[in-house]
Amino acid sequence: MSEKRRFQTSLKQYYDLLRRYLLPQRKTLIGLTILLLMTIALQLVNPQIIRYFIDHAQSGGAMTSLIYAALVFIGFSLFHQLISVIATYVSENVGWRTTNTMRSDLASHVLSLDMSFHKEHTSGAIIERVDGDVNALANFFSSFIIHLAGNLLLMIGIIVLLFRENWMIGLAMTIFVLGALYLIQWIRKFAVPVWAEWRQVNAEMYGFLGEQLEGTEDIRANGAAGFVMNRFFRLIHRMLPIRVRAFLGFAAMWNTTILVFALGNAMAFGISAYLYTSGSITLGTVYLIFHYTELLSKPIEKIRTQFEDLQKADASIVRIRELFETKSRIVDGPGAKLPDGPLSLTFDEVGFGYEEDKRTLKQLSFQLKPGEVLGLLGRTGSGKSTIARLLMRFYDPQEGSVELGGVDIRLCKLGELRKKVALVTQNIEIVQGNVRDNLTFYDRSVPDERMVEVLRELGLGRWYDTLPSGLDTPLDSGGGSLSAGEAQLLAFARVFLTDPGLVILDEASSRLDPYTEHYIERAVSRLLEERTCIMIAHRLNTVQRADRILILEDGELIEDGERQQLAADPNSRFSRMLATGMEEVLA
Amino acid sequence: MKTSTFLWRLIRYEPGRYSLNALMWTLISLAPVIPGLLTKEFFDFLDGQASLGIGIGGLIALLVGAALARVMLIFMGFITDVHYRFRMGMLLRRNLLEHILKEPGARAIPVSPGEAISHFRDDVDQTEEAVSWSVDVLGMLVFAGVSAYILLRIDAQITMLVFLPLVVVVTAAQLATSRLQRYRAASREATSQVTGAISEMFGNVQAIQVAGAEARVIERFRNLSDRRRKTMLKDRLMTEALDSVFSNTVHIGTGLILLLAAYKMRAGTFSIGDFALFVYYLNFVTQFITNVGRFLTYFKQMEVALRRLTSLLQGAPAWVLTLFKPLYLGKRETPPARAGAGVGQGKSTPSGSGEQVARSAGEFGSASGQQARRTTEAADQAEAGSPAAIATGMRGARQAEPEPLSHSAEGSQTELGPLRQLTATGLTYRYPETGRGIENISLELERGSFTVITGMVGAGKTTLVRAVLGLLPLEAGEIRWNGVLVEDPGSFFMPPRSAYASQVPRLYSDTLNNNIMLGEEDVGGRLQAAVHTAVLERDIGQLEQGLQTTIGPRGVKLSGGQAQRTAAARMLARQAELYVFDDVSSALDVETERQLWERLFRERREATCLVVSHRRVALSHASHIIVMKDGFIESQGTAEALLQQSELFRQIWQGDAHEG
């Protein structure tokens, strides 16, 4: 909970953000400034009309000029209203444009982070950051600078006009304004940390809800609804006091302005009463002073709400910066090219652990010739999948190196690497969208016929034929009406639509029944033609087509050899494993 | 439910707090009356018409005093407000979550989890605002009354002409807000698509990275964001235009006073002090009208929120949202370990919570009288043509069939006794998106039997077990436990009757221990036994903190096989009479799988098992095998018999022989 620390968001951070996201909008901003200047002028003029009116009425001026004054007052008011609606619209637009850019930048940054980040953060919590926190910034972008500048100008305008009436009242009001701003700024210090805390606990809430909403089936059928509700209650129990404190922070800010204005009014009353009785101003001017003092509440109030937004933004900016500054442990390479065609593979003394002091892979070395098919066997947790993750560069090894086609993969661009290496896992990853999106991840260049062909090849033809609108049929995220086996076939199909030099099948057929597995064998053989392949399995039938077998245990190689040789050698682990399989059949 | 009924029920949840809050905010609204009068007195004093003989110094002291009083009121008002609105918002979230957890688990929400979160967040917030602002209506009325009395006594004509336009404004604005709703709905929709996209992006990071699809995914996200911008702008423009009408009234009003008072002021019958007072009150009248307008806007938006929240209930009546349930927010209050366990849970415990259960079940029962209406509603929605609407339409139609009231079932279902025989007849469920599923499936499980469902990918195996467990809403068919009809399989098939391990286990960012036990108490070494049977003991031994290890969001820190065995342990720890597990060994290595099955066979004792698998070890152990194909039962019987009869079964059997 680093948010708990008191952050002094430096001006530079704001400046960086403004330059990066607002500068491209400068034309709109100029237009907006003009609109705002007009509203300021209108607001300054109106009290003068009232003074004119009062003084003329008191001295018994002509009726028609009084009527005109009243009409001009109404006209100006209407005009002012129109302009402010337009200004809001424009600034809202700026806000959305800038935050949308920021949102995509942030999303694309987070998307590029390595898996160790994603293992620590729920998608619910990321929504809170990418959407919630950025939303809190929307106002900051759309209007903070302009409103701040505009209201400062309005304030200065009022003070100048007050000085024109009398230096004493001008001076008093200047002191008042400065004091008010200082006080309001000061009180803000107390509300910021609580606000950050509230957002944090809120993010936790939606992270929690997200997980529950994904797992309804398991909760329901195992009678865990009560447990989930209990967690919910404990969470809101913790949330309430934080929310109360956050609200009191707001109340403190609002109350400060109320008190400050009462004092300002009292001061204006005192001074203008003195000036009036000494005969240096008219009653109309007293009203003018009173009106301007009231009018001052607007800019000060606006500045207060701007700071309030800033206070929300403050917490959000800190968190967004943190996110932006979270560097992926995986540094993109300078861009070495991988050769076309099947790739050779070298693991050279690779040592790797998910945690610093625990090695999942221990000085692992092996090589694979282009086009070779490797069967990688081992118990759960022996490090098989880790090899796949290193090859995709989800992680980098702490020691040693991984080479593809003779190139250290850390020298390649990630995009290039992941284009050349395809991975199918047993995870079901279906995204919201239609079948086409799920096959190509929004790549429009893949022709439909090719997709349908692949689906048929993989035995999904019958499924495809039931789809009411073919490739355009929407799929639920998380699978929905797709069975787990079908989802896995769909993941297979994704690889068929690309042209990798190395294919890694990590338990890729674990959810398939033997019949289906058998059915797609021909298609898989075609896929593996002219490609290097690693088949990770803990089932033996999966590795039948392998040329070579590697067996891992606790991150170390305990057997390595040609499949046929190993099978023929009665002392090999592999042949013993084959024997266990036989036992199983006999049982 | 009408929006106003919704609002009213939310108010009635905490009537004490609501009233207190309303009182505080009425006082706060009333507070500006005093500084207004003091301002009038000030100008009258200067003009030589003072009515109070307290002088400038006294006036100033009173002014500051009034401000201090107002500040105190506001502090208290904020406290009452936050306490009330927090409870109310959380009640909605609570009821929503609880209801979702009672829905057929495999189709508990009609949208993606990301979208559902936006309902939980934004729609509830929206409602919270509306209810919170409703107190301002009262405050505004009281202030209007008091200030009208004061102003009328000064000048009736001008007062009427100032207040009248304001009434017109409110009416006009209220008429205009109906237009607002449409924009609001569109912008909410666009928002939930954006949050849905984010949730998905980060739920499938690995797949996206593997496919190198980052740029394309972001591009799609960008388009969705831009759509949201456009809808938001429309929404905002409308709101702002309305708001500005409200807030500009003060200027127009001042202008009108000037116009009307010109003659009277010149004649000296309307003093500067009167003018100052009129304008001062006008300011606040406008502010309050803005607040009331804001309330009306929120209220209109609440209608949208209510509709969206109701759609999340999938056909259940909206008042489910506002059931008065405890939140356990008191200082020394702690929620019961299995708090609000819901209908299913309560049955096994006849004590306190059971009573509450019976009550809420009774309420459900009384609602079934309204079923006919609910059905027509669903049919209306179905006409609208969206797939989700059609789905609810189907549900509605199903619910309209005569079925025993659930509360009358309450008593009888507890006395069904230990499982002797489970029969399902004519089970039918088709996924609304594709029309596939299972059709007219019947099966029978005897106590202690071991039944295996097998078949090809997409044959309907998972659908069948989900249908039996009530995780999908049946279209047709019935399930009998010892010959007695199970009315609501979803809340019936739970521990201690049954436990389930799904094909794709869902784990939470919590400790391994909590993921397995899910709140269940570890009596008699259940946990150890479950861990052992699920062959997890070695993995746990390797973890530094053992069972207390936090396994990351969705359990990502575990390997696929570990996750699957955790789910198996979760099921086994429930000690149920019926275990249902769906392809639980798919991600296991041969050795581990062999151990798992061996231990299961040995330790299940009398428990009945319904298993989806195509492993020969399971098939050869089965007392009965069901071979599924395209949603039908292709054949069934023992392994020997099927090897003779079924070509499909032979292929599955032989397919697995590649093992060796």
Side-chain angles (χ1 to χ4, degrees), chain A residues 61 81 92-93 111 119 131 216-217 220 222-223 230 237 379 429 432 441 513 515 538-539 585, chain B residues 102 105 200 207 209 216 228-229 236 248 266 336 338 457 466 500 538 553 587 589 593 616 651 659:
Chain A
Q81 177 182 2
E92 188 84 358
N93 195 5
L111 209 50
K119 290 195 170 189
D131 204 42
T216 43
E217 196 182 4
R220 183 80 164 102
N222 287 311
N230 178 280
H237 196 87
R379 273 174 150 266
E429 295 186 306
Q432 187 100 40
F441 275 110
D513 57 282
Y515 183 83
H538 26 235
R539 311 203 62 83
V585 174
Chain B
K102 279 182 198 158
E200 218 147 73
Q209 289 189 348
R216 297 195 297 271
R228 165 159 76 162
R229 178 183 63 84
R236 187 62 212 265
N248 205 43
R266 219 170 53 145
R338 307 186 58 86
V457 160
R466 282 176 172 171
Y500 173 56
R538 187 165 169 253
D589 56 276
E593 181 178 5
R616 197 181 270 194
Q651 278 173 337
E659 289 299 286

Side-chain angles (χ1 to χ4, degrees), chain A residues 53-54 57-58 61 63 70 73-74 77 81 85 88 92-93 96-97 100 103-104 108 110-111 113 118-120 122-123 126-128 131 206 210-211 214-224 226-227 229-233 236-237 240 243 247 251 254-255 258 262 266 269 276 283 286-287 290 358 379-380 394 418 426 429 431-432 440-443 462-463 466 468 476-477 484 486 510-515 538-541 585, chain B residues 39 46 60 67 71 74-75 78 82 86 90 93-94 101-103 105 112 117 121 128 195 199-200 202 204-205 207 209-211 213 216 218 220 222 225 228-229 233 236 240 244-245 248 251 258-259 263 266 272 275 328 330 333 336-339 345 433 436 456-458 466 490-491 494-495 500 502-503 506 508-510 518-519 538 542 553-554 556-557 559-560 570 574 586-590 593 614-616 630 651 655 658-659:
Chain A
F53 185 93
I54 290 176
Q58 289 254 308
M63 212 31 213
F73 184 91
I74 294 175
S77 300
Q81 177 182 2
V85 171
T88 313
E92 188 84 358
N93 195 5
W96 279 104
R97 275 182 196 281
N100 273 350
R103 226 173 258 122
S104 340
S108 110
V110 175
L111 209 50
L113 291 176
H118 292 287
K119 290 195 170 189
E120 298 294 337
T122 60
S123 61
I126 295 179
I127 293 184
E128 228 351 71
D131 204 42
Y206 295 114
E211 277 188 338
E214 281 169 12
T216 43
E217 196 182 4
D218 296 41
I219 296 170
R220 183 80 164 102
N222 287 311
F227 172 67
M229 292 314 292
N230 178 280
R231 283 186 67 187
F232 174 80
F233 291 129
I236 62 172
H237 196 87
L240 177 62
R243 181 98 195 252
F247 259 61
W254 187 19
N255 276 334
I258 290 180
F269 277 8
Y276 180 75
L283 201 56
V286 175
Y287 192 84
F290 169 70
K358 237 174 95 190
R379 273 174 150 266
T380 309
F394 291 147
R418 288 173 185 166
Q426 57 169 337
E429 295 186 306
V431 298
Q432 187 100 40
T440 63
F441 275 110
Y442 319 108
D443 183 355
R462 198 195 291 267
W463 170 76
T466 64
D476 278 355
S477 68
E486 286 162 340
S510 64
R511 290 184 203 281
L512 305 183
D513 57 282
Y515 183 83
H538 26 235
R539 311 203 62 83
L540 294 170
N541 61 342
V585 174
Chain B
T39 306
L46 294 187
I60 287 175
V71 162
I74 286 174
F75 263 123
F78 263 87
V82 70
F86 183 85
M90 286 307 172
R93 293 192 176 100
R94 171 206 204 283
L101 295 179
K102 279 182 198 158
E103 284 285 290
S112 76
I117 284 186
R121 186 182 68 184
E128 208 182 288
T195 49
S199 144
E200 218 147 73
F202 297 109
N204 297 301
V205 178
Q209 289 189 348
V210 166
R216 297 195 297 271
I218 292 292
R220 175 168 172 269
R222 200 166 282 153
S225 296
R228 165 159 76 162
R229 178 183 63 84
L233 275 178
R236 187 62 212 265
E240 184 62 25
S244 88
V245 171
N248 205 43
H251 301 295
L258 289 178
L259 214 53
Y263 177 74
R266 219 170 53 145
I272 308 294
F275 174 73
Y328 310 103
E333 222 175 332
R338 307 186 58 86
Q345 222 72 52
E433 295 88 348
R436 296 185 320 149
M456 284 171 61
V457 160
R466 282 176 172 171
S491 51
M494 274 190 191
Y500 173 56
S502 64
Q503 191 177 15
R506 295 296 186 177
Y508 312 111
S509 49
D510 202 334
L518 295 178
R538 187 165 169 253
Q542 281 178 348
R554 307 177 190 206
V556 283
K557 290 182 179 171
S559 77
R570 178 188 279 176
R574 320 268 116 189
S586 65
L588 307 186
D589 56 276
V590 180
E593 181 178 5
H614 38 251
R615 297 283 185 242
R616 197 181 270 194
D630 298 332
Q651 278 173 337
H658 292 298
E659 289 299 286

Side-chain angles (χ1 to χ4, degrees), chain B residues 11-186:
Chain B
I11 290 173
R12 287 224 345 252
Y13 175 56
E14 285 265 3
R17 281 182 206 278
Y18 184 84
S19 313
L20 188 65
N21 193 34
L23 175 71
M24 286 318 301
W25 285 93
T26 306
L27 289 176
I28 292 169
S29 306
L30 214 49
V33 167
I34 296 161
L37 288 173
L38 293 173
T39 306
K40 171 181 154 55
E41 189 60 26
F42 169 74
F43 280 101
D44 285 347
F45 179 84
L46 294 187
D47 214 12
Q49 305 176 11
S51 48
L52 295 169
I54 48 174
I56 293 292
L59 276 177
I60 287 175
L62 279 176
L63 205 62
V64 175
L68 281 173
R70 190 162 167 229
V71 162
M72 288 313 299
L73 285 175
I74 286 174
F75 263 123
M76 294 196 292
F78 263 87
I79 292 174
T80 54
D81 181 47
V82 70
H83 274 281
Y84 175 72
R85 66 152 71 199
F86 183 85
R87 281 176 169 76
M88 196 215 71
M90 286 307 172
L91 176 75
L92 282 178
R93 293 192 176 100
R94 171 206 204 283
N95 287 338
L96 202 54
L97 180 64
E98 198 173 59
H99 178 82
I100 286 172
L101 295 179
K102 279 182 198 158
E103 284 285 290
R107 296 192 83 75
I109 40 173
V111 292
S112 76
E115 262 182 83
I117 284 186
S118 108
H119 293 290
F120 265 93
R121 186 182 68 184
D122 302 333
D123 290 321
V124 173
D125 280 349
Q126 201 73 252
T127 310
E128 208 182 288
E129 291 294 344
V131 180
S132 170
W133 281 94
S134 67
V135 296
D136 291 69
V137 178
L138 184 65
M140 137 83 191
L141 285 175
V142 175
F143 177 82
V146 173
S147 55
Y149 172 75
I150 296 170
L151 296 182
L152 279 169
R153 278 176 39 138
I154 295 171
D155 192 312
Q157 188 198 14
I158 294 182
T159 307
M160 293 309 289
L161 287 168
V162 172
F163 274 81
L164 222 55
L166 298 191
V167 174
V168 174
V169 165
V170 178
T171 324
Q174 191 171 12
L175 290 176
T177 42
S178 60
R179 280 190 69 80
L180 211 60
Q181 251 192 94
R182 228 182 43 231
Y183 296 111
R184 177 61 42 156

Side-chain angles (χ1 to χ4, degrees), chain B residues 416-429:
Chain B
L416 291 180
L419 176 65
R420 293 188 305 275
Q421 187 190 45
L422 182 74
T423 42
T425 34
L427 301 185
T428 300
Y429 178 81

Side-chain angles (χ1 to χ4, degrees), chain B residues 392-437:
Chain B
T392 51
M394 277 160 45
R395 284 172 50 86
R398 187 179 60 81
Q399 282 167 347
E401 284 169 19
E403 54 182 1
L405 288 183
S406 36
H407 68 251
S408 65
E410 279 297 313
S412 60
Q413 302 242 309
T414 30
E415 289 142 31
L416 291 180
L419 176 65
R420 293 188 305 275
Q421 187 190 45
L422 182 74
T423 42
T425 34
L427 301 185
T428 300
Y429 178 81
R430 275 164 302 212
Y431 289 96
E433 295 88 348
T434 55
R436 296 185 320 149

